Amino acid sequence: MGGKIAFAAAVAVAACGAAPDQTVQGHFTICREQRQPDCVVDGDTIQVDDVRIQLSDIDAPDTWRPSCEAQREMGERAARRLAQLLNAGPFQLESHEARDHDGYGRELRVAVRGGRSLGDVLMQEGLARPWRGAREDWCR
């Protein structure tokens, strides 16, 4: 896919300090393993080829090690919805912050289509909240 090739080239440029903004299109599934191409890890983390990307404008419930059943259920709903949004057509991964990576080595990007963050859609639907610099408890 041309979008995936452009994405890989942009990632290579990012390693040299440039801020990549690229278009991506693929078929995203829910990740069943730690590493697999084009999948949704949870409502705010995706995998594109071998690159893990954290959506830096939102916080969604974790699904890998949830603190409570309600968090797991909402996290699974957020992940499924994010996969639907990503599969609806090409989208851009845009730089959002001064940093390109988080403490876990994930790329920090915002997924945008038609000038709107896909994270905004998740927030509007109650499946995510704005990123405020730290994860917040979803089990309260």
Side-chain angles (χ1 to χ4, degrees), residues 44-62:
D44 59 14
T45 310
I46 63 175
Q47 180 85 15
V48 178
D49 291 332
D50 290 325
V51 180
R52 185 71 54 110
I53 298 165
Q54 178 69 34
L55 301 181
S56 59
D57 59 335
I58 61 169
D59 177 34
D62 288 329

Side-chain angles (χ1 to χ4, degrees), residues 18-124:
D21 290 345
Q22 63 278 336
T23 300
V24 177
Q25 183 170 3
H27 177 70
F28 287 81
T29 61
I30 302 299
C31 299
R32 299 292 177 215
E33 302 171 6
Q34 284 290 328
R35 295 282 183 194
Q36 67 185 70
D38 298 345
C39 65
V40 174
V41 177
D42 59 27
D44 59 14
T45 310
I46 63 175
Q47 180 85 15
V48 178
D49 291 332
D50 290 325
V51 180
R52 185 71 54 110
I53 298 165
Q54 178 69 34
L55 301 181
S56 59
D57 59 335
I58 61 169
D59 177 34
D62 288 329
T63 57
W64 289 92
R65 291 190 178 129
S67 299
C68 63
E69 184 62 17
Q71 179 181 8
R72 184 193 64 74
E73 289 173 4
M74 182 181 274
E76 288 178 2
R77 285 186 14 234
R80 285 192 307 269
R81 180 63 174 133
L82 180 57
Q84 289 175 337
L85 292 168
L86 297 175
N87 288 329
F91 60 94
Q92 291 72 44
L93 288 171
E94 299 179 353
S95 298
H96 176 67
E97 300 181 0
R99 300 180 313 148
D100 268 345
H101 296 83
D102 68 7
Y104 300 102
R106 298 176 293 198
E107 301 273 337
L108 294 171
R109 301 289 181 263
V110 177
V112 176
R113 179 181 296 114
R116 182 175 186 201
S117 164
L118 300 182
D120 285 345
V121 175
L122 292 173
M123 286 189 287
Q124 183 179 29

